[in-house]
mmCIF file with all atom_site columns, all heavy atoms in Angstrom:
data_model
loop_
_atom_site.group_PDB
_atom_site.id
_atom_site.type_symbol
_atom_site.label_atom_id
_atom_site.label_alt_id
_atom_site.label_comp_id
_atom_site.label_asym_id
_atom_site.label_entity_id
_atom_site.label_seq_id
_atom_site.pdbx_PDB_ins_code
_atom_site.Cartn_x
_atom_site.Cartn_y
_atom_site.Cartn_z
_atom_site.occupancy
_atom_site.B_iso_or_equiv
_atom_site.pdbx_formal_charge
_atom_site.auth_seq_id
_atom_site.auth_comp_id
_atom_site.auth_asym_id
_atom_site.auth_atom_id
_atom_site.pdbx_PDB_model_num
ATOM 1   N N   . MET A 1 1  ? -1.065 10.095  -14.967 1.00 0.00 ? 818 MET A N   1
ATOM 2   C CA  . MET A 1 1  ? -0.228 9.738   -13.827 1.00 0.00 ? 818 MET A CA  1
ATOM 3   C C   . MET A 1 1  ? -0.804 10.233  -12.501 1.00 0.00 ? 818 MET A C   1
ATOM 4   O O   . MET A 1 1  ? -0.799 9.508   -11.505 1.00 0.00 ? 818 MET A O   1
ATOM 5   C CB  . MET A 1 1  ? 1.178  10.308  -14.035 1.00 0.00 ? 818 MET A CB  1
ATOM 6   C CG  . MET A 1 1  ? 2.180  9.890   -12.996 1.00 0.00 ? 818 MET A CG  1
ATOM 7   S SD  . MET A 1 1  ? 2.426  8.097   -12.856 1.00 0.00 ? 818 MET A SD  1
ATOM 8   C CE  . MET A 1 1  ? 2.958  7.682   -14.499 1.00 0.00 ? 818 MET A CE  1
ATOM 9   N N   . THR A 1 2  ? -1.306 11.450  -12.456 1.00 0.00 ? 819 THR A N   1
ATOM 10  C CA  . THR A 1 2  ? -1.784 12.034  -11.203 1.00 0.00 ? 819 THR A CA  1
ATOM 11  C C   . THR A 1 2  ? -2.927 11.235  -10.572 1.00 0.00 ? 819 THR A C   1
ATOM 12  O O   . THR A 1 2  ? -2.874 10.942  -9.379  1.00 0.00 ? 819 THR A O   1
ATOM 13  C CB  . THR A 1 2  ? -2.156 13.515  -11.421 1.00 0.00 ? 819 THR A CB  1
ATOM 14  O OG1 . THR A 1 2  ? -1.007 14.194  -11.943 1.00 0.00 ? 819 THR A OG1 1
ATOM 15  C CG2 . THR A 1 2  ? -2.575 14.171  -10.134 1.00 0.00 ? 819 THR A CG2 1
ATOM 16  N N   . PRO A 1 3  ? -3.962 10.845  -11.329 1.00 0.00 ? 820 PRO A N   1
ATOM 17  C CA  . PRO A 1 3  ? -5.025 10.032  -10.715 1.00 0.00 ? 820 PRO A CA  1
ATOM 18  C C   . PRO A 1 3  ? -4.525 8.661   -10.241 1.00 0.00 ? 820 PRO A C   1
ATOM 19  O O   . PRO A 1 3  ? -4.972 8.153   -9.216  1.00 0.00 ? 820 PRO A O   1
ATOM 20  C CB  . PRO A 1 3  ? -6.071 9.875   -11.818 1.00 0.00 ? 820 PRO A CB  1
ATOM 21  C CG  . PRO A 1 3  ? -5.797 10.974  -12.776 1.00 0.00 ? 820 PRO A CG  1
ATOM 22  C CD  . PRO A 1 3  ? -4.321 11.244  -12.683 1.00 0.00 ? 820 PRO A CD  1
ATOM 23  N N   . TRP A 1 4  ? -3.582 8.075   -10.981 1.00 0.00 ? 821 TRP A N   1
ATOM 24  C CA  . TRP A 1 4  ? -3.040 6.789   -10.553 1.00 0.00 ? 821 TRP A CA  1
ATOM 25  C C   . TRP A 1 4  ? -2.280 6.939   -9.235  1.00 0.00 ? 821 TRP A C   1
ATOM 26  O O   . TRP A 1 4  ? -2.435 6.125   -8.325  1.00 0.00 ? 821 TRP A O   1
ATOM 27  C CB  . TRP A 1 4  ? -2.137 6.198   -11.639 1.00 0.00 ? 821 TRP A CB  1
ATOM 28  C CG  . TRP A 1 4  ? -1.531 4.896   -11.231 1.00 0.00 ? 821 TRP A CG  1
ATOM 29  C CD1 . TRP A 1 4  ? -2.160 3.681   -11.198 1.00 0.00 ? 821 TRP A CD1 1
ATOM 30  C CD2 . TRP A 1 4  ? -0.203 4.685   -10.752 1.00 0.00 ? 821 TRP A CD2 1
ATOM 31  N NE1 . TRP A 1 4  ? -1.280 2.723   -10.734 1.00 0.00 ? 821 TRP A NE1 1
ATOM 32  C CE2 . TRP A 1 4  ? -0.079 3.304   -10.459 1.00 0.00 ? 821 TRP A CE2 1
ATOM 33  C CE3 . TRP A 1 4  ? 0.888  5.513   -10.559 1.00 0.00 ? 821 TRP A CE3 1
ATOM 34  C CZ2 . TRP A 1 4  ? 1.099  2.752   -9.981  1.00 0.00 ? 821 TRP A CZ2 1
ATOM 35  C CZ3 . TRP A 1 4  ? 2.064  4.959   -10.084 1.00 0.00 ? 821 TRP A CZ3 1
ATOM 36  C CH2 . TRP A 1 4  ? 2.158  3.600   -9.800  1.00 0.00 ? 821 TRP A CH2 1
ATOM 37  N N   . LEU A 1 5  ? -1.484 7.991   -9.125  1.00 0.00 ? 822 LEU A N   1
ATOM 38  C CA  . LEU A 1 5  ? -0.776 8.240   -7.867  1.00 0.00 ? 822 LEU A CA  1
ATOM 39  C C   . LEU A 1 5  ? -1.762 8.436   -6.716  1.00 0.00 ? 822 LEU A C   1
ATOM 40  O O   . LEU A 1 5  ? -1.524 7.962   -5.605  1.00 0.00 ? 822 LEU A O   1
ATOM 41  C CB  . LEU A 1 5  ? 0.125  9.464   -7.999  1.00 0.00 ? 822 LEU A CB  1
ATOM 42  C CG  . LEU A 1 5  ? 1.454  9.228   -8.701  1.00 0.00 ? 822 LEU A CG  1
ATOM 43  C CD1 . LEU A 1 5  ? 2.115  10.561  -9.037  1.00 0.00 ? 822 LEU A CD1 1
ATOM 44  C CD2 . LEU A 1 5  ? 2.360  8.365   -7.866  1.00 0.00 ? 822 LEU A CD2 1
ATOM 45  N N   . ALA A 1 6  ? -2.868 9.115   -6.981  1.00 0.00 ? 823 ALA A N   1
ATOM 46  C CA  . ALA A 1 6  ? -3.888 9.311   -5.940  1.00 0.00 ? 823 ALA A CA  1
ATOM 47  C C   . ALA A 1 6  ? -4.466 7.963   -5.493  1.00 0.00 ? 823 ALA A C   1
ATOM 48  O O   . ALA A 1 6  ? -4.717 7.754   -4.299  1.00 0.00 ? 823 ALA A O   1
ATOM 49  C CB  . ALA A 1 6  ? -4.995 10.228  -6.447  1.00 0.00 ? 823 ALA A CB  1
ATOM 50  N N   . ARG A 1 7  ? -4.643 7.032   -6.430  1.00 0.00 ? 824 ARG A N   1
ATOM 51  C CA  . ARG A 1 7  ? -5.148 5.699   -6.057  1.00 0.00 ? 824 ARG A CA  1
ATOM 52  C C   . ARG A 1 7  ? -4.144 4.950   -5.182  1.00 0.00 ? 824 ARG A C   1
ATOM 53  O O   . ARG A 1 7  ? -4.527 4.238   -4.262  1.00 0.00 ? 824 ARG A O   1
ATOM 54  C CB  . ARG A 1 7  ? -5.500 4.889   -7.308  1.00 0.00 ? 824 ARG A CB  1
ATOM 55  C CG  . ARG A 1 7  ? -6.727 5.411   -8.025  1.00 0.00 ? 824 ARG A CG  1
ATOM 56  C CD  . ARG A 1 7  ? -7.256 4.455   -9.080  1.00 0.00 ? 824 ARG A CD  1
ATOM 57  N NE  . ARG A 1 7  ? -6.298 4.075   -10.097 1.00 0.00 ? 824 ARG A NE  1
ATOM 58  C CZ  . ARG A 1 7  ? -6.102 4.730   -11.237 1.00 0.00 ? 824 ARG A CZ  1
ATOM 59  N NH1 . ARG A 1 7  ? -6.776 5.832   -11.505 1.00 0.00 ? 824 ARG A NH1 1
ATOM 60  N NH2 . ARG A 1 7  ? -5.232 4.299   -12.129 1.00 0.00 ? 824 ARG A NH2 1
ATOM 61  N N   . THR A 1 8  ? -2.842 5.133   -5.447  1.00 0.00 ? 825 THR A N   1
ATOM 62  C CA  . THR A 1 8  ? -1.853 4.457   -4.592  1.00 0.00 ? 825 THR A CA  1
ATOM 63  C C   . THR A 1 8  ? -1.910 5.026   -3.180  1.00 0.00 ? 825 THR A C   1
ATOM 64  O O   . THR A 1 8  ? -1.681 4.305   -2.212  1.00 0.00 ? 825 THR A O   1
ATOM 65  C CB  . THR A 1 8  ? -0.407 4.583   -5.137  1.00 0.00 ? 825 THR A CB  1
ATOM 66  O OG1 . THR A 1 8  ? 0.080  5.914   -4.998  1.00 0.00 ? 825 THR A OG1 1
ATOM 67  C CG2 . THR A 1 8  ? -0.315 4.110   -6.583  1.00 0.00 ? 825 THR A CG2 1
ATOM 68  N N   . GLN A 1 9  ? -2.228 6.313   -3.060  1.00 0.00 ? 826 GLN A N   1
ATOM 69  C CA  . GLN A 1 9  ? -2.341 6.944   -1.742  1.00 0.00 ? 826 GLN A CA  1
ATOM 70  C C   . GLN A 1 9  ? -3.555 6.411   -0.972  1.00 0.00 ? 826 GLN A C   1
ATOM 71  O O   . GLN A 1 9  ? -3.545 6.395   0.257   1.00 0.00 ? 826 GLN A O   1
ATOM 72  C CB  . GLN A 1 9  ? -2.441 8.473   -1.877  1.00 0.00 ? 826 GLN A CB  1
ATOM 73  C CG  . GLN A 1 9  ? -1.229 9.124   -2.483  1.00 0.00 ? 826 GLN A CG  1
ATOM 74  C CD  . GLN A 1 9  ? -0.003 9.085   -1.589  1.00 0.00 ? 826 GLN A CD  1
ATOM 75  O OE1 . GLN A 1 9  ? -0.091 8.965   -0.379  1.00 0.00 ? 826 GLN A OE1 1
ATOM 76  N NE2 . GLN A 1 9  ? 1.162  9.184   -2.201  1.00 0.00 ? 826 GLN A NE2 1
ATOM 77  N N   . LEU A 1 10 ? -4.598 5.989   -1.696  1.00 0.00 ? 827 LEU A N   1
ATOM 78  C CA  . LEU A 1 10 ? -5.745 5.370   -1.034  1.00 0.00 ? 827 LEU A CA  1
ATOM 79  C C   . LEU A 1 10 ? -5.362 4.013   -0.446  1.00 0.00 ? 827 LEU A C   1
ATOM 80  O O   . LEU A 1 10 ? -5.833 3.641   0.623   1.00 0.00 ? 827 LEU A O   1
ATOM 81  C CB  . LEU A 1 10 ? -6.908 5.188   -2.014  1.00 0.00 ? 827 LEU A CB  1
ATOM 82  C CG  . LEU A 1 10 ? -7.584 6.459   -2.513  1.00 0.00 ? 827 LEU A CG  1
ATOM 83  C CD1 . LEU A 1 10 ? -8.603 6.122   -3.590  1.00 0.00 ? 827 LEU A CD1 1
ATOM 84  C CD2 . LEU A 1 10 ? -8.221 7.214   -1.360  1.00 0.00 ? 827 LEU A CD2 1
ATOM 85  N N   . LEU A 1 11 ? -4.507 3.293   -1.157  1.00 0.00 ? 828 LEU A N   1
ATOM 86  C CA  . LEU A 1 11 ? -4.073 1.977   -0.679  1.00 0.00 ? 828 LEU A CA  1
ATOM 87  C C   . LEU A 1 11 ? -3.163 2.096   0.537   1.00 0.00 ? 828 LEU A C   1
ATOM 88  O O   . LEU A 1 11 ? -3.337 1.388   1.525   1.00 0.00 ? 828 LEU A O   1
ATOM 89  C CB  . LEU A 1 11 ? -3.341 1.224   -1.790  1.00 0.00 ? 828 LEU A CB  1
ATOM 90  C CG  . LEU A 1 11 ? -4.196 0.799   -2.964  1.00 0.00 ? 828 LEU A CG  1
ATOM 91  C CD1 . LEU A 1 11 ? -3.309 0.291   -4.095  1.00 0.00 ? 828 LEU A CD1 1
ATOM 92  C CD2 . LEU A 1 11 ? -5.187 -0.271  -2.542  1.00 0.00 ? 828 LEU A CD2 1
ATOM 93  N N   . VAL A 1 12 ? -2.162 2.960   0.432   1.00 0.00 ? 829 VAL A N   1
ATOM 94  C CA  . VAL A 1 12 ? -1.222 3.194   1.526   1.00 0.00 ? 829 VAL A CA  1
ATOM 95  C C   . VAL A 1 12 ? -0.961 4.698   1.567   1.00 0.00 ? 829 VAL A C   1
ATOM 96  O O   . VAL A 1 12 ? -0.180 5.209   0.756   1.00 0.00 ? 829 VAL A O   1
ATOM 97  C CB  . VAL A 1 12 ? 0.105  2.430   1.341   1.00 0.00 ? 829 VAL A CB  1
ATOM 98  C CG1 . VAL A 1 12 ? 1.049  2.704   2.497   1.00 0.00 ? 829 VAL A CG1 1
ATOM 99  C CG2 . VAL A 1 12 ? -0.128 0.938   1.182   1.00 0.00 ? 829 VAL A CG2 1
ATOM 100 N N   . PRO A 1 13 ? -1.631 5.413   2.459   1.00 0.00 ? 830 PRO A N   1
ATOM 101 C CA  . PRO A 1 13 ? -1.425 6.867   2.533   1.00 0.00 ? 830 PRO A CA  1
ATOM 102 C C   . PRO A 1 13 ? 0.035  7.219   2.848   1.00 0.00 ? 830 PRO A C   1
ATOM 103 O O   . PRO A 1 13 ? 0.711  6.497   3.587   1.00 0.00 ? 830 PRO A O   1
ATOM 104 C CB  . PRO A 1 13 ? -2.343 7.303   3.674   1.00 0.00 ? 830 PRO A CB  1
ATOM 105 C CG  . PRO A 1 13 ? -3.384 6.220   3.757   1.00 0.00 ? 830 PRO A CG  1
ATOM 106 C CD  . PRO A 1 13 ? -2.663 4.952   3.388   1.00 0.00 ? 830 PRO A CD  1
ATOM 107 N N   . ALA A 1 14 ? 0.486  8.322   2.270   1.00 0.00 ? 831 ALA A N   1
ATOM 108 C CA  . ALA A 1 14 ? 1.842  8.807   2.556   1.00 0.00 ? 831 ALA A CA  1
ATOM 109 C C   . ALA A 1 14 ? 1.991  9.001   4.054   1.00 0.00 ? 831 ALA A C   1
ATOM 110 O O   . ALA A 1 14 ? 1.107  9.520   4.721   1.00 0.00 ? 831 ALA A O   1
ATOM 111 C CB  . ALA A 1 14 ? 2.098  10.110  1.816   1.00 0.00 ? 831 ALA A CB  1
ATOM 112 N N   . GLY A 1 15 ? 3.112  8.535   4.586   1.00 0.00 ? 832 GLY A N   1
ATOM 113 C CA  . GLY A 1 15 ? 3.371  8.637   6.015   1.00 0.00 ? 832 GLY A CA  1
ATOM 114 C C   . GLY A 1 15 ? 2.971  7.410   6.796   1.00 0.00 ? 832 GLY A C   1
ATOM 115 O O   . GLY A 1 15 ? 3.357  7.242   7.950   1.00 0.00 ? 832 GLY A O   1
ATOM 116 N N   . SER A 1 16 ? 2.176  6.534   6.179   1.00 0.00 ? 833 SER A N   1
ATOM 117 C CA  . SER A 1 16 ? 1.759  5.317   6.892   1.00 0.00 ? 833 SER A CA  1
ATOM 118 C C   . SER A 1 16 ? 2.388  4.062   6.281   1.00 0.00 ? 833 SER A C   1
ATOM 119 O O   . SER A 1 16 ? 1.937  2.950   6.545   1.00 0.00 ? 833 SER A O   1
ATOM 120 C CB  . SER A 1 16 ? 0.234  5.189   6.887   1.00 0.00 ? 833 SER A CB  1
ATOM 121 O OG  . SER A 1 16 ? -0.234 4.931   5.579   1.00 0.00 ? 833 SER A OG  1
ATOM 122 N N   . GLU A 1 17 ? 3.447  4.241   5.502   1.00 0.00 ? 834 GLU A N   1
ATOM 123 C CA  . GLU A 1 17 ? 4.078  3.098   4.840   1.00 0.00 ? 834 GLU A CA  1
ATOM 124 C C   . GLU A 1 17 ? 4.575  2.049   5.829   1.00 0.00 ? 834 GLU A C   1
ATOM 125 O O   . GLU A 1 17 ? 4.495  0.860   5.566   1.00 0.00 ? 834 GLU A O   1
ATOM 126 C CB  . GLU A 1 17 ? 5.237  3.565   3.948   1.00 0.00 ? 834 GLU A CB  1
ATOM 127 C CG  . GLU A 1 17 ? 4.821  4.337   2.730   1.00 0.00 ? 834 GLU A CG  1
ATOM 128 C CD  . GLU A 1 17 ? 4.712  5.833   2.969   1.00 0.00 ? 834 GLU A CD  1
ATOM 129 O OE1 . GLU A 1 17 ? 4.840  6.282   4.133   1.00 0.00 ? 834 GLU A OE1 1
ATOM 130 O OE2 . GLU A 1 17 ? 4.503  6.565   1.993   1.00 0.00 ? 834 GLU A OE2 1
ATOM 131 N N   . GLU A 1 18 ? 5.083  2.486   6.983   1.00 0.00 ? 835 GLU A N   1
ATOM 132 C CA  . GLU A 1 18 ? 5.591  1.544   7.989   1.00 0.00 ? 835 GLU A CA  1
ATOM 133 C C   . GLU A 1 18 ? 4.493  0.620   8.504   1.00 0.00 ? 835 GLU A C   1
ATOM 134 O O   . GLU A 1 18 ? 4.748  -0.505  8.906   1.00 0.00 ? 835 GLU A O   1
ATOM 135 C CB  . GLU A 1 18 ? 6.221  2.290   9.162   1.00 0.00 ? 835 GLU A CB  1
ATOM 136 C CG  . GLU A 1 18 ? 7.576  2.870   8.853   1.00 0.00 ? 835 GLU A CG  1
ATOM 137 C CD  . GLU A 1 18 ? 8.642  1.809   8.615   1.00 0.00 ? 835 GLU A CD  1
ATOM 138 O OE1 . GLU A 1 18 ? 8.661  0.771   9.310   1.00 0.00 ? 835 GLU A OE1 1
ATOM 139 O OE2 . GLU A 1 18 ? 9.476  2.025   7.726   1.00 0.00 ? 835 GLU A OE2 1
ATOM 140 N N   . ALA A 1 19 ? 3.258  1.108   8.488   1.00 0.00 ? 836 ALA A N   1
ATOM 141 C CA  . ALA A 1 19 ? 2.128  0.320   8.995   1.00 0.00 ? 836 ALA A CA  1
ATOM 142 C C   . ALA A 1 19 ? 1.477  -0.529  7.907   1.00 0.00 ? 836 ALA A C   1
ATOM 143 O O   . ALA A 1 19 ? 0.526  -1.249  8.182   1.00 0.00 ? 836 ALA A O   1
ATOM 144 C CB  . ALA A 1 19 ? 1.079  1.252   9.608   1.00 0.00 ? 836 ALA A CB  1
ATOM 145 N N   . ALA A 1 20 ? 1.981  -0.462  6.678   1.00 0.00 ? 837 ALA A N   1
ATOM 146 C CA  . ALA A 1 20 ? 1.389  -1.233  5.584   1.00 0.00 ? 837 ALA A CA  1
ATOM 147 C C   . ALA A 1 20 ? 1.471  -2.721  5.900   1.00 0.00 ? 837 ALA A C   1
ATOM 148 O O   . ALA A 1 20 ? 2.451  -3.198  6.469   1.00 0.00 ? 837 ALA A O   1
ATOM 149 C CB  . ALA A 1 20 ? 2.113  -0.938  4.270   1.00 0.00 ? 837 ALA A CB  1
ATOM 150 N N   . PRO A 1 21 ? 0.430  -3.470  5.537   1.00 0.00 ? 838 PRO A N   1
ATOM 151 C CA  . PRO A 1 21 ? 0.427  -4.889  5.867   1.00 0.00 ? 838 PRO A CA  1
ATOM 152 C C   . PRO A 1 21 ? 1.506  -5.666  5.116   1.00 0.00 ? 838 PRO A C   1
ATOM 153 O O   . PRO A 1 21 ? 1.788  -5.379  3.964   1.00 0.00 ? 838 PRO A O   1
ATOM 154 C CB  . PRO A 1 21 ? -0.968 -5.356  5.434   1.00 0.00 ? 838 PRO A CB  1
ATOM 155 C CG  . PRO A 1 21 ? -1.412 -4.362  4.420   1.00 0.00 ? 838 PRO A CG  1
ATOM 156 C CD  . PRO A 1 21 ? -0.752 -3.061  4.797   1.00 0.00 ? 838 PRO A CD  1
ATOM 157 N N   . ASP A 1 22 ? 2.103  -6.611  5.799   1.00 0.00 ? 839 ASP A N   1
ATOM 158 C CA  . ASP A 1 22 ? 3.079  -7.511  5.188   1.00 0.00 ? 839 ASP A CA  1
ATOM 159 C C   . ASP A 1 22 ? 2.304  -8.719  4.670   1.00 0.00 ? 839 ASP A C   1
ATOM 160 O O   . ASP A 1 22 ? 2.167  -9.729  5.351   1.00 0.00 ? 839 ASP A O   1
ATOM 161 C CB  . ASP A 1 22 ? 4.126  -7.936  6.223   1.00 0.00 ? 839 ASP A CB  1
ATOM 162 C CG  . ASP A 1 22 ? 5.110  -8.947  5.676   1.00 0.00 ? 839 ASP A CG  1
ATOM 163 O OD1 . ASP A 1 22 ? 5.126  -9.180  4.445   1.00 0.00 ? 839 ASP A OD1 1
ATOM 164 O OD2 . ASP A 1 22 ? 5.861  -9.521  6.485   1.00 0.00 ? 839 ASP A OD2 1
ATOM 165 N N   . LEU A 1 23 ? 1.742  -8.587  3.454   1.00 0.00 ? 840 LEU A N   1
ATOM 166 C CA  . LEU A 1 23 ? 0.884  -9.636  2.907   1.00 0.00 ? 840 LEU A CA  1
ATOM 167 C C   . LEU A 1 23 ? 1.634  -10.945 2.708   1.00 0.00 ? 840 LEU A C   1
ATOM 168 O O   . LEU A 1 23 ? 1.095  -12.019 2.984   1.00 0.00 ? 840 LEU A O   1
ATOM 169 C CB  . LEU A 1 23 ? 0.249  -9.160  1.597   1.00 0.00 ? 840 LEU A CB  1
ATOM 170 C CG  . LEU A 1 23 ? -0.638 -7.923  1.717   1.00 0.00 ? 840 LEU A CG  1
ATOM 171 C CD1 . LEU A 1 23 ? -1.169 -7.515  0.357   1.00 0.00 ? 840 LEU A CD1 1
ATOM 172 C CD2 . LEU A 1 23 ? -1.774 -8.158  2.689   1.00 0.00 ? 840 LEU A CD2 1
ATOM 173 N N   . ASP A 1 24 ? 2.871  -10.879 2.242   1.00 0.00 ? 841 ASP A N   1
ATOM 174 C CA  . ASP A 1 24 ? 3.649  -12.100 2.050   1.00 0.00 ? 841 ASP A CA  1
ATOM 175 C C   . ASP A 1 24 ? 3.885  -12.801 3.383   1.00 0.00 ? 841 ASP A C   1
ATOM 176 O O   . ASP A 1 24 ? 3.739  -14.020 3.498   1.00 0.00 ? 841 ASP A O   1
ATOM 177 C CB  . ASP A 1 24 ? 4.994  -11.802 1.380   1.00 0.00 ? 841 ASP A CB  1
ATOM 178 C CG  . ASP A 1 24 ? 4.844  -11.387 -0.072  1.00 0.00 ? 841 ASP A CG  1
ATOM 179 O OD1 . ASP A 1 24 ? 3.839  -11.768 -0.695  1.00 0.00 ? 841 ASP A OD1 1
ATOM 180 O OD2 . ASP A 1 24 ? 5.744  -10.698 -0.575  1.00 0.00 ? 841 ASP A OD2 1
ATOM 181 N N   . GLY A 1 25 ? 4.256  -12.025 4.401   1.00 0.00 ? 842 GLY A N   1
ATOM 182 C CA  . GLY A 1 25 ? 4.491  -12.602 5.722   1.00 0.00 ? 842 GLY A CA  1
ATOM 183 C C   . GLY A 1 25 ? 3.238  -13.193 6.323   1.00 0.00 ? 842 GLY A C   1
ATOM 184 O O   . GLY A 1 25 ? 3.255  -14.284 6.909   1.00 0.00 ? 842 GLY A O   1
ATOM 185 N N   . GLU A 1 26 ? 2.116  -12.493 6.183   1.00 0.00 ? 843 GLU A N   1
ATOM 186 C CA  . GLU A 1 26 ? 0.842  -12.999 6.709   1.00 0.00 ? 843 GLU A CA  1
ATOM 187 C C   . GLU A 1 26 ? 0.428  -14.275 5.999   1.00 0.00 ? 843 GLU A C   1
ATOM 188 O O   . GLU A 1 26 ? -0.036 -15.227 6.631   1.00 0.00 ? 843 GLU A O   1
ATOM 189 C CB  . GLU A 1 26 ? -0.260 -11.942 6.570   1.00 0.00 ? 843 GLU A CB  1
ATOM 190 C CG  . GLU A 1 26 ? -0.210 -10.879 7.632   1.00 0.00 ? 843 GLU A CG  1
ATOM 191 C CD  . GLU A 1 26 ? -0.370 -11.465 9.036   1.00 0.00 ? 843 GLU A CD  1
ATOM 192 O OE1 . GLU A 1 26 ? -1.353 -12.192 9.297   1.00 0.00 ? 843 GLU A OE1 1
ATOM 193 O OE2 . GLU A 1 26 ? 0.506  -11.208 9.872   1.00 0.00 ? 843 GLU A OE2 1
ATOM 194 N N   . LEU A 1 27 ? 0.574  -14.314 4.671   1.00 0.00 ? 844 LEU A N   1
ATOM 195 C CA  . LEU A 1 27 ? 0.220  -15.511 3.916   1.00 0.00 ? 844 LEU A CA  1
ATOM 196 C C   . LEU A 1 27 ? 1.100  -16.682 4.331   1.00 0.00 ? 844 LEU A C   1
ATOM 197 O O   . LEU A 1 27 ? 0.611  -17.800 4.545   1.00 0.00 ? 844 LEU A O   1
ATOM 198 C CB  . LEU A 1 27 ? 0.342  -15.247 2.416   1.00 0.00 ? 844 LEU A CB  1
ATOM 199 C CG  . LEU A 1 27 ? -0.072 -16.393 1.496   1.00 0.00 ? 844 LEU A CG  1
ATOM 200 C CD1 . LEU A 1 27 ? -1.524 -16.801 1.759   1.00 0.00 ? 844 LEU A CD1 1
ATOM 201 C CD2 . LEU A 1 27 ? 0.117  -15.998 0.053   1.00 0.00 ? 844 LEU A CD2 1
ATOM 202 N N   . SER A 1 28 ? 2.390  -16.453 4.482   1.00 0.00 ? 845 SER A N   1
ATOM 203 C CA  . SER A 1 28 ? 3.304  -17.515 4.925   1.00 0.00 ? 845 SER A CA  1
ATOM 204 C C   . SER A 1 28 ? 2.910  -18.022 6.310   1.00 0.00 ? 845 SER A C   1
ATOM 205 O O   . SER A 1 28 ? 2.896  -19.226 6.567   1.00 0.00 ? 845 SER A O   1
ATOM 206 C CB  . SER A 1 28 ? 4.748  -17.008 4.965   1.00 0.00 ? 845 SER A CB  1
ATOM 207 O OG  . SER A 1 28 ? 5.184  -16.712 3.677   1.00 0.00 ? 845 SER A OG  1
ATOM 208 N N   . ARG A 1 29 ? 2.566  -17.094 7.206   1.00 0.00 ? 846 ARG A N   1
ATOM 209 C CA  . ARG A 1 29 ? 2.150  -17.481 8.559   1.00 0.00 ? 846 ARG A CA  1
ATOM 210 C C   . ARG A 1 29 ? 0.874  -18.318 8.509   1.00 0.00 ? 846 ARG A C   1
ATOM 211 O O   . ARG A 1 29 ? 0.797  -19.378 9.133   1.00 0.00 ? 846 ARG A O   1
ATOM 212 C CB  . ARG A 1 29 ? 1.921  -16.235 9.419   1.00 0.00 ? 846 ARG A CB  1
ATOM 213 C CG  . ARG A 1 29 ? 1.599  -16.552 10.886  1.00 0.00 ? 846 ARG A CG  1
ATOM 214 C CD  . ARG A 1 29 ? 1.229  -15.312 11.672  1.00 0.00 ? 846 ARG A CD  1
ATOM 215 N NE  . ARG A 1 29 ? 0.032  -14.639 11.199  1.00 0.00 ? 846 ARG A NE  1
ATOM 216 C CZ  . ARG A 1 29 ? -1.221 -15.062 11.429  1.00 0.00 ? 846 ARG A CZ  1
ATOM 217 N NH1 . ARG A 1 29 ? -1.442 -16.159 12.096  1.00 0.00 ? 846 ARG A NH1 1
ATOM 218 N NH2 . ARG A 1 29 ? -2.243 -14.378 10.969  1.00 0.00 ? 846 ARG A NH2 1
#
């Protein structure tokens, strides 16, 4: 579990969730 959680932090670091890309919205646009 710990290494997997670390990989999720690489995708979206803790504290930057608000800035995460809205992939569905971008694709729709």
